[in-house]
Amino acid sequence: MSDNQTQSKTAQEPSKDQVLIQVNQLDSAYGERKILKGIELSVKQGEILVIMGGSGSGKSTLLKNMLGLMQPTRGEIIIDKMNINTVDKQQMLKLRRTMGVAFQGGALLSSMSVGDNIKLPLRQHTDLDESTISIMTRLKLELMNLAGFEDLMPSELSGGMLKRAGLARAVIMDPKILFFDEPSAGLDPVTSVELDQLILELRKAMNMTIIVVTHELESAFTIADRIAVLYDGEIVKTGTVEEIKACDDERVANLINRKPREVQIDGEKYLSRLTEGAE
Amino acid sequence: MFSNIEKLGGRTISVIEELGRLGHFLLTVVTSLFSRPFGWKELVKQIAFIGARSMPIILLSGLFTGMVLALQFYDVLARFGSVDLMGSAVGLSLIQELGPVMTALMVIARVGSSTCAEIAIMRNEQQFDALTCMAISPYRYVMVPRFLAAVISIPLLTAIFNVIGIIGGYIVGVFIKDLSGVAYMQTIIDTITWSDLRMSIVKSLIFAVIVIWIAMGKGFYVHLEKGVSGAEAVGRVTTKAVVASAITMLFADYIASSFLI
């Protein structure tokens, strides 16, 4: 853990009773390949935390671990006072009903209409009658600016619409915690800003705790209360937007200033290696 | 030399791993049969897909199989002066063997391949992750209706194949080879016993489990396919599922026949 992170943690980390999600000393790997190393993270009730980092930094793996879709090799994740790696199946199912997840591509079930996708959690987990479910679905679709799209199939929606429909499904049960994977990826700037506004509106209206995984700087700076910067599987800095912008850690500064890693191509060396290979 | 042994070892390990994964998959599907809420709507949809929409190919293949069988048996039986036995020969061949096997092969081609591809695409598009995160078991919600629909539909399709095959044999025997229609049907009624029908039902149930299990299992683990991803991985697992289902089904046919005859 870097000095910056330690300093930031003392200044920014929420007190224990406010913490809703706590990640302790988390390691995660795909086979022999270690992806996450000693992740320490906490998220308090009602906060928007953005996990930011470049491609291959481990953002998606961290999200998968937090969602219980992947088992860590070490460490623990505590959500709402439950250790998701040791909790029994029934409790995990109960916990999942308090969480909503909006996936990068929407992840709508392709065999059913947009409306049926959004109704699915309500039909599976509540005894509400069909008319109430329809009203709730319409309200959420209106909130996402998707009114009238209920009967379309997912294949008939654009990328931005799919994300918003996925978000509507994620919040249909009014979850306590919302996870959002790459809200801006692949979207035009206007749609991207609209989604950011929607995230802020959701927090305001429902007091949700929101964890957003992104590599989009503008989006992160717009919505985040705090940002955790991931680099090569480690959190190198956690802090407010201002603290991240002012951070002098080279890895953070490079990400903020969009400075690429230096790639040196030695023409002669490349040619000689090619020749060696041919021989 | 050593590298070949290493390759063989690696392959053996990966085959054992895959068998373990598919075994665990089947076990989880079977245990999920009893979990609630049950997806009746999805079950009906899958029965329509696996059963009703397979009817045209079952009717056509059944008819032609029966007709070819009648031609072949007529030729053989005529050499021994026993053409009167053609009805029982066609009926027994269809009910004991060709009905279950041909139906399963047709279902593999039409349903196994599309089910495998559909499930693989669902995996690639994170639809199973989404279901899991919504506290909905993908096994209960996606696999169980397909599994039950196959177990209900394939024996019924087999029965229809058998009947249409016998009618195909009748058309050739009576209208082309001038055999007696009453004699054709009477020899079938006299020869076919309950144990022949039981063999047909048991085989079709076993084949139904094999076909749908391998199609769903291969698709479900598409992300573990080595060296490929995306559309290429979907194509590869679909081909593998079709080949593996057909081979496993024929192997199971031999085992089942040796116990049931």
Side-chain angles (χ1 to χ4, degrees):
Chain A
M1 198 187 296
S2 72
D3 289 345
N4 280 333
Q5 190 187 353
T6 318
Q7 281 167 20
S8 153
K9 271 173 80 83
T10 49
Q12 293 298 323
E13 285 294 304
S15 65
K16 264 194 172 173
D17 54 340
Q18 294 175 304
V19 170
L20 192 62
I21 302 173
Q22 180 73 49
V23 180
N24 293 326
Q25 287 298 312
L26 187 84
D27 286 358
S28 188
Y30 289 106
E32 296 289 301
R33 200 157 52 96
K34 218 170 176 186
I35 307 292
L36 298 176
K37 300 152 210 162
I39 300 287
E40 289 276 346
L41 198 66
S42 58
V43 190
K44 65 178 179 179
Q45 170 70 44
E47 182 180 37
I48 299 181
L49 176 87
V50 173
I51 299 167
M52 198 168 74
S55 302
S57 58
K59 303 187 297 288
S60 298
T61 308
L62 178 55
L63 184 68
K64 275 187 183 173
N65 275 279
M66 290 171 91
L67 294 173
L69 296 172
M70 202 175 159
Q71 281 292 319
T73 47
R74 186 178 73 109
E76 57 178 15
I77 299 165
I78 296 157
I79 300 180
D80 209 6
K81 294 174 187 142
M82 277 188 255
N83 184 339
I84 65 162
N85 308 119
T86 55
V87 78
D88 69 46
K89 207 179 158 190
Q90 286 308 314
Q91 278 180 303
M92 189 63 198
L93 287 176
K94 219 170 155 187
L95 181 64
R96 284 196 194 283
R97 289 178 202 179
T98 66
M99 291 159 45
V101 187
F103 287 87
Q104 193 173 344
L108 299 182
L109 301 189
S110 44
S111 58
M112 55 173 73
S113 69
V114 173
D116 283 339
N117 261 288
I118 296 165
K119 287 171 186 170
L120 185 61
L122 291 172
R123 283 177 175 158
Q124 291 287 315
H125 300 311
T126 70
D127 296 324
L128 294 171
D129 58 84
E130 201 53 34
S131 64
T132 313
I133 289 176
S134 292
I135 293 167
M136 289 173 76
T137 305
R138 261 203 309 278
L139 285 173
K140 286 291 189 293
L141 280 170
E142 277 168 22
L143 185 70
M144 303 298 157
N145 204 14
L146 281 174
F149 289 87
E150 204 172 332
D151 296 327
L152 293 187
M153 296 303 282
S155 58
E156 296 172 287
L157 300 188
S158 69
M161 285 172 170
L162 279 174
K163 272 185 206 273
R164 279 183 282 152
L167 184 55
R169 186 180 63 183
V171 298
I172 192 74
M173 298 274 286
D174 294 333
K176 211 166 162 183
I177 308 165
L178 173 68
F179 293 89
F180 206 150
D181 189 13
E182 300 279 8
S184 312
L187 297 183
D188 65 84
V190 179
T191 315
S192 175
V193 170
E194 275 175 12
L195 259 181
D196 290 344
Q197 294 306 321
L198 208 55
I199 292 168
L200 290 170
E201 281 296 319
L202 278 175
R203 196 262 297 267
K204 201 171 138 190
M206 300 177 180
N207 191 32
M208 269 179 208
T209 304
I210 302 176
I211 292 99
V212 177
V213 168
T214 187
H215 62 266
E216 299 282 338
L217 294 172
E218 265 182 58
S219 174
F221 291 155
T222 309
I223 59 176
D225 291 325
R226 284 191 308 137
I227 296 175
V229 179
L230 260 179
Y231 185 90
D232 211 10
E234 288 178 68
I235 290 187
V236 290
K237 171 79 181 168
T238 309
T240 60
V241 173
E242 289 71 30
E243 283 172 325
I244 294 291
K245 281 180 176 172
C247 179
D248 53 7
D249 185 304
E250 196 187 359
R251 296 163 296 184
V252 179
N254 285 350
L255 186 73
I256 304 294
N257 300 318
R258 300 169 199 263
K259 194 178 166 196
R261 290 185 198 200
E262 279 186 22
V263 182
Q264 287 182 333
I265 300 172
D266 185 336
E268 273 183 33
K269 203 174 168 187
Y270 177 71
L271 272 175
S272 70
R273 284 182 70 185
L274 265 183
T275 324
E276 276 169 30
E279 280 168 1
Chain B
M1 167 76 179
F2 280 115
S3 74
N4 285 339
I5 294 171
E6 215 170 274
K7 268 184 198 166
L8 186 69
R11 253 215 150 123
T12 311
I13 288 169
S14 67
V15 167
I16 292 168
E17 271 178 0
E18 182 156 15
L19 282 176
R21 265 199 304 273
L22 288 176
H24 176 259
F25 176 84
L26 180 63
L27 199 68
T28 316
V29 172
V30 171
T31 51
S32 302
L33 288 172
F34 309 102
S35 51
R36 294 287 173 272
F38 188 78
W40 291 105
K41 208 174 150 187
E42 188 62 19
L43 176 65
V44 171
K45 196 176 148 189
Q46 290 302 324
I47 288 176
F49 174 65
I50 299 173
R53 286 192 214 147
S54 297
M55 282 293 281
I57 60 162
I58 291 300
L59 291 176
L60 282 173
S61 54
L63 185 72
F64 293 133
T65 306
M67 290 170 83
V68 169
L69 269 182
L71 278 179
Q72 297 278 2
F73 277 125
Y74 185 85
D75 183 46
V76 174
L77 293 170
R79 294 180 199 185
F80 301 100
S82 316
V83 284
D84 293 345
L85 294 173
M86 200 175 81
S88 58
V90 170
L92 273 176
S93 309
L94 279 167
I95 290 169
Q96 286 194 348
E97 186 61 37
L98 284 169
V101 169
M102 288 294 290
T103 305
L105 285 174
M106 291 296 140
V107 174
I108 288 170
R110 203 191 81 81
V111 178
S113 54
S114 72
T115 300
C116 178
E118 184 191 6
I119 285 175
I121 290 168
M122 287 178 80
R123 165 69 76 189
N124 280 352
E125 290 182 353
Q126 291 186 293
Q127 293 179 32
F128 293 129
D129 287 348
L131 282 170
T132 306
C133 290
M134 286 189 277
I136 300 169
S137 161
Y139 289 97
R140 175 178 63 75
Y141 191 76
V142 179
M143 310 304 168
V144 165
R146 283 164 174 78
F147 183 83
L148 280 178
V151 169
I152 293 167
S153 303
I154 294 176
L156 291 174
L157 289 172
T158 304
I160 292 164
F161 187 100
N162 291 341
V163 171
I164 294 295
I166 288 170
I167 293 171
Y170 184 94
I171 292 168
V172 169
V174 177
F175 298 114
I176 300 174
K177 299 293 180 187
D178 289 329
L179 293 176
S180 155
V182 176
Y184 178 88
M185 293 312 292
Q186 194 57 49
T187 53
I188 292 177
I189 293 164
D190 291 345
T191 320
I192 307 298
T193 60
W194 162 241
S195 72
D196 300 320
L197 295 175
R198 190 189 60 190
M199 187 188 290
S200 198
I201 295 165
V202 170
K203 277 186 176 181
S204 62
L205 280 169
I206 293 170
F207 297 166
V209 171
I210 289 171
V211 170
I212 203 70
W213 164 45
I214 294 178
M216 295 193 306
K218 284 275 184 187
F220 193 67
Y221 293 114
V222 65
H223 58 300
L224 300 178
E225 199 64 19
K226 281 173 189 154
V228 284
S229 62
E232 198 184 349
V234 175
R236 189 184 282 188
V237 291
T238 306
T239 309
K240 279 186 179 178
V242 168
V243 174
S245 309
I247 301 288
T248 313
M249 186 269 290
L250 291 170
F251 175 67
D253 183 36
Y254 173 74
I255 303 287
S257 297
S258 60
F259 277 103
L260 293 167
I261 280 179

